[in-house]
Structures are given as structure tokens and as C-alpha cells.
Amino acid sequence: MPLKYEDMLRDPIYGYIYVTKLEEDVINTPYFQRLRFIKQTPGAAFVYPSANHTRFEHSLGVMHLAGELAEKLIYRDERLMEKAEGEKDKLIQKVRLTGLLHDIGHGPFSHVFEEFLNDVNARVNHEDFSELIIREKIHPILERHDFDDTDVIQITDWLRDREYGIGSVVVQSINVDALDYLTRDAYHTGTIEYGWVDVKRIIDNMLLIRLTAEEEDDLRTNGIVTLREVPERRNLDKAILAISDRAIIAVESFFLSRLQMFKAVYYHRTARAIERGLVKCMEEIANDVPILKLFTNMSKKEELLPHVGEFVSLNDYFLVGKILEKECAEIRAILDRKQRRTAYEKTETASVDEFGLYARSLERRKGFEDAIMEKLSEENIDVRVVLDVPFPLLSINVGKVYIKYDEEGTDRIAAIRNYGRLDRESAPILKRMIAQNMLWMIEQRVLADTDKVEELRKIGNIARSIMEGGPSLHI
């Protein structure tokens, strides 16, 4: 029998979102309710006035899409279809919970808090906190609904990408997290021309493809594999998520929307200047706010465990109050619309590994800032500068976005970069985006505490001479 829904919530994107009793119990915890007070796009709200949506409704949307996709994947997979109805329902419920809980560990100001953590030398992130809260605080609720330790571990393993399976729809490939945030952020910022995605077309064409060990190795090594005649393929354990080439235009639109939303919303120069100001404010008040100070040099998520109660109160409103109370200069500049201005911009391609070594390097960032400030001093320009390297990175692992297609009566699976039909007839824009490394990039800026055009021009020239002559991503 299908999942029994206890309630429904009105949603501007999907119409109605239905919730089960278990989901209702999780939603009504203080750990989940705190997401009501954490903006999805904190800096963008100063550029797009209606962008006041939160992690709360985004998490509900991801739960909704995860359930829809899980149900379709199950009914397209012979092996999963053979399960008893109760087992299938429980599997769908687990995938929905994975979507619901994927952001439960986010700190105030969403990804901006990740930048604060990086700047205070913490070796943890919101995914660590999500795992901790699920394991320690949500677990007892799941137990009351007949979910055991194995189920809880599977949910956290799906979220942390330690297990690949049906629950990977939340974080892997073209995932339901991205499908919701692009559409929802575009709706609330008023940029639907940039971010709207054909979600239904993509979900309707996603599949679980079971592979032999040899096929899996071929796909990993060559980026393409021809599916062989295998007796009882449904009994194979290894399965990957793939998208039928019937949805290739929707896939192309997804990648293009993602690029446009990063450039127009997430990396918007004013939004980023404000977000860097928020990071500076958190650093300035950290010693006077015990829960913030706790994160300095934090090396593992378990250090937060005795303070989870305090973490529940750590949200945008709490911190804005503390920042105003401490009369942080950065917040006054933001409220007076005198945030830093962009003096110089530089866009480069970056892999995930390079981003980890490059963008998160405080030493590198401070080195550039000090070099620019030294030159400014020689020019008698008394202006502070900040090198902004935004989180998160515009990146997607195209090696794990798989396309299923038919060639002369034979089924093939290809990583999208190896899919031979990205041509003029099918997805020419996507082909160009992949060829020119437009699917993973980093946009860094030198921000300056001045609005004087001539000073900004001089600072920009100095920054250009230093940064374009300095270390790049690829040395």
C-alpha cells in the first residue's frame, strides 16, 4: 500500500507537498524548525528584495522531489519491483527523509557560515553537523516509527556519498537538491528566465541501470560502455543513476540554468560583498558569542555534541541581533548600502580538488591582500581590500552524469562528456559548455572599502598586475 500522508502543505513551486506522520514528527522538532530562520540566499536578498525564502521550504521541496523520483525509479527496476509493498514504501520513505534532512545542519546565513568556518580554521561543515543531528537527535524519532540503526546509517551514508544507491538522488548526478534550489531560488529572486528547469522531464527520464563488474570498470575507465547480453541483469547489485537521452534538451537546460543562476544570483557582486561582510562580522564578534567561538579550530563534528541545544538557537536572526549589539562596522556599512565595491574580477576553471587547495587557502588569500595593500600604501591610497573567493564552487562532476541511449539497437551508457550526440541537432550549447570548462569555475573578486571610481580603477589595475602575474589554479 502507498505511503499514508497525514497532512499537506501549500507550496508555490509544486502546488501541494504531502507529509507522512513520521515526516511531520521530524519537521516539528526544534532541530528542523530552526531552518525557518536561515535564509537560502542571504546576500541575494539585498539585490532581489523577494529572496527571503529559507532552508525550511527548500528542504520540504527536496523531500517532495526525492519521493517522486524514488517512486519512479522503483517502478522502472524489476528487482526493486519484486519487493513487498511494505518494503517499497519504506524505501521511498527513507529516500524522502534523506531529502528532508539533507540541510538540517546548516549554520546561519547558509553557505556563508561555511566561509566563516573556513576562516576560523574549522575542519567541519554543515554536512558533518547534519550527520551528527540525524544520528543523535532525529534517530530516536525514526526508531519510534520502526526505523533501525541500519536505516539511519543508510540515510547518512547516502547524504555523505559513502553509499551509492537509490538515495543518491539527493546528492549525485543531476540531483533533486539542485533541481529544487534552482527552481525555487529563481522563483523567489524573480529570475525565472535564468533558473527555471524542466524538472518533470528530467525526473521522468531517470533510471537505475544495473551493471556487471566489467561494465562498471569500462564505464569508469573509458567513460562509455556498451551493455552486454547478461542473463538476469536484474539480479546484479551494482546500479548507477542515468538519464535517458530523450531528456537531453532538459539536461542542457539544467546546466545552462545552473551557470546563469551562479552568475546572476549566487555570484552577484553586491550579494558577494554583503556575504563577505557577514563573514567579517561573525569573525569580529566570535570571542563574545560562546557558540561561535566554539567553532574556532574545531577538528571534528563530535565537539559540537554537548552544545547541540545552543546550536538550535544559532540562526540568522540570533546572529544579526548579536552583530547589531556589538555595533559591528561591517553591518552598519551593509545597512547603509555602503558595502565594499568590486575593483577587480577574475574567473578561472577549477576542479573540486583544486578548489579545496585554492579557494580555502587563507594563506593564499592573505598573501594577495597584503601584496595589494602594500602597493596601495606606496600610492598613498588608504583603502582596505578583501579577496573574495565564494562558496560553494560552481562545479558538477560530469564524469558521474550518465546518459543512456540506443545506438543501432544496442543500449549504451556514457558519461555526458563522452556522449557522442552533443551536436548541433541535440545539445550544441551543452557541448560547448563542456568543451570550454564552463561547468566548473570560480569567480574571485577584489573588494574595496571605497565607492570612488578613480580609486576603484587604480585598485583594479594593481590587483590585476599582482593576481595575473601570481600563482594560478594550474601550477
Side-chain angles (χ1 to χ4, degrees):
M1 82 185 265
L3 291 176
K4 183 181 178 182
Y5 296 109
E6 294 286 323
D7 205 350
M8 60 184 183
L9 309 169
R10 195 74 160 117
D11 182 74
I13 310 300
Y14 310 117
Y16 287 101
I17 292 176
Y18 296 88
V19 295
T20 65
K21 182 65 172 68
L22 168 54
E23 291 157 0
E24 194 174 63
D25 288 349
V26 171
I27 290 168
N28 288 337
T29 64
Y31 311 103
F32 193 85
Q33 288 292 315
R34 65 182 287 274
L35 298 181
R36 290 183 183 274
F37 310 110
I38 297 176
K39 283 186 180 178
Q40 178 86 351
T41 55
F46 287 83
V47 181
Y48 303 99
S50 61
N52 290 303
H53 56 306
T54 68
R55 291 280 155 186
F56 183 86
E57 55 263 40
H58 166 60
S59 297
L60 294 173
V62 175
M63 175 194 74
H64 169 77
L65 290 183
E68 280 201 346
L69 181 50
E71 191 168 331
K72 290 180 183 296
L73 291 175
I74 286 171
Y75 286 96
R76 293 181 194 135
D77 184 89
E78 290 183 48
R79 180 167 168 181
L80 293 177
M81 270 298 291
E82 290 174 351
K83 290 179 176 288
E85 289 301 313
E87 287 184 84
K88 285 187 281 195
D89 290 345
K90 186 172 183 180
L91 183 55
I92 293 169
Q93 179 66 92
K94 265 197 290 191
V95 177
R96 284 173 61 93
L97 285 168
T98 305
L100 182 67
L101 295 167
H102 81 287
D103 272 351
I104 200 168
H106 254 301
F109 311 125
S110 292
H111 286 286
V112 178
F113 194 70
E114 309 279 296
E115 298 181 44
F116 164 74
L117 292 174
N118 185 70
D119 285 5
V120 297
N121 198 38
R123 293 292 175 260
V124 289
N125 57 35
H126 80 274
E127 294 172 345
D128 294 313
F129 300 148
S130 291
E131 183 173 7
L132 180 72
I133 291 169
I134 292 167
R135 196 178 68 203
E136 301 295 334
K137 300 299 180 181
I138 304 300
H139 191 169
I141 298 170
L142 303 185
E143 281 186 329
R144 292 200 295 270
H145 290 266
D146 298 324
F147 279 68
D148 58 25
D149 292 351
T150 304
D151 297 317
V152 175
I153 290 169
Q154 188 169 48
I155 288 170
T156 55
D157 282 352
W158 280 337
L159 283 177
R160 301 310 302 271
D161 200 18
R162 291 189 293 250
E163 179 181 330
Y164 193 93
I166 191 169
S168 300
V169 299
V170 177
V171 296
Q172 273 284 358
S173 184
I174 297 178
N175 56 69
V176 292
D177 178 20
L179 291 175
D180 183 84
Y181 75 64
L182 287 175
T183 308
R184 191 172 299 278
D185 294 351
Y187 174 86
H188 284 283
T189 55
T191 59
I192 58 174
E193 300 88 350
Y194 302 145
W196 208 255
V197 179
D198 192 348
V199 174
K200 182 170 174 52
R201 182 72 175 175
I202 289 173
I203 284 180
D204 283 350
N205 283 279
M206 290 194 78
L207 307 156
L208 276 174
I209 307 294
R210 298 190 178 275
L211 301 176
T212 64
E214 187 179 359
E215 289 170 340
E216 181 190 355
D217 187 58
D218 283 351
L219 185 58
R220 186 172 57 248
T221 304
N222 305 315
I224 190 167
V225 65
T226 299
L227 298 186
R228 303 162 178 83
E229 289 292 332
V230 177
E232 300 296 323
R233 181 174 287 275
R234 66 183 181 181
N235 292 332
L236 298 174
D237 290 326
K238 177 65 180 179
I240 61 164
L241 290 168
I243 304 173
S244 166
D245 67 341
R246 290 179 298 180
I248 194 64
I249 295 173
V251 170
E252 180 181 56
S253 174
F254 167 84
F255 283 113
L256 185 58
S257 293
R258 198 166 184 271
L259 175 64
Q260 290 178 322
M261 285 295 286
F262 267 82
K263 294 185 76 66
V265 178
Y266 311 132
Y267 285 178
H268 189 286
R269 60 176 62 184
T270 302
R272 283 303 309 161
I274 287 168
E275 289 175 352
R276 279 311 302 171
L278 291 172
V279 173
K280 291 292 183 184
C281 283
M282 286 188 277
E283 292 173 7
E284 188 176 320
I285 69 169
N287 285 335
D288 299 314
V289 181
I291 186 64
L292 274 187
K293 188 176 182 180
L294 174 72
F295 294 107
T296 301
N297 297 319
M298 182 179 282
S299 61
K300 53 186 179 181
K301 59 182 178 291
E302 285 75 17
E303 293 175 43
L304 180 64
L305 186 56
H307 307 276
V308 169
E310 297 165 75
F311 187 74
V312 170
S313 68
L314 190 58
N315 57 51
D316 295 9
Y317 296 89
F318 172 83
L319 272 193
V320 167
K322 291 293 184 183
I323 289 167
L324 290 172
E325 181 184 310
K326 300 296 178 183
E327 298 182 346
C328 173
E330 298 277 355
I331 199 71
R332 178 47 54 197
I334 290 170
L335 295 175
D336 290 343
R337 298 314 301 253
K338 293 180 179 178
Q339 69 278 349
R340 294 184 182 91
R341 299 298 195 266
T342 298
Y344 170 74
E345 296 179 287
K346 185 181 183 185
T347 301
E348 294 185 85
T349 59
S351 71
V352 174
D353 290 339
E354 286 171 329
F355 179 73
L357 295 172
Y358 180 81
R360 296 178 187 272
S361 172
L362 301 180
E363 212 174 288
R364 174 192 174 275
R365 197 192 314 158
K366 189 175 186 306
F368 275 126
E369 290 172 353
D370 289 348
I372 294 168
M373 291 288 288
E374 185 178 336
K375 286 288 186 183
L376 291 179
S377 178
E378 292 173 6
E379 298 274 341
N380 294 316
I381 299 174
D382 185 20
V383 174
R384 283 194 310 150
V385 298
V386 171
L387 176 59
D388 173 44
V389 186
F391 292 22
L393 172 70
L394 169 54
S395 170
I396 191 163
N397 188 346
V398 291
K400 287 190 175 181
V401 177
Y402 299 115
I403 303 296
K404 178 183 180 294
Y405 63 103
D406 174 88
E407 190 168 273
E408 299 178 354
T410 302
D411 285 335
R412 288 193 171 188
I413 308 293
I416 198 164
R417 65 162 68 252
N418 301 98
Y419 174 58
R421 297 179 183 176
L422 294 181
D423 51 28
R424 190 165 296 172
E425 288 73 34
S426 60
I429 298 173
L430 180 55
K431 181 177 182 178
R432 183 177 177 186
M433 290 170 72
I434 292 173
Q436 296 186 6
N437 290 335
M438 295 169 68
L439 298 182
W440 49 95
M441 68 175 211
I442 191 163
E443 197 164 284
Q444 52 192 334
R445 295 186 176 98
V446 173
L447 306 173
D449 283 336
T450 181
D451 58 2
K452 295 178 181 177
V453 175
E454 185 58 25
E455 284 187 341
L456 287 170
R457 185 187 65 78
K458 288 181 178 179
I459 295 166
N461 288 337
I462 289 170
R464 182 178 294 106
S465 68
I466 291 172
M467 294 188 66
E468 294 188 4
S472 73
L473 281 169
H474 303 294
I475 61 170

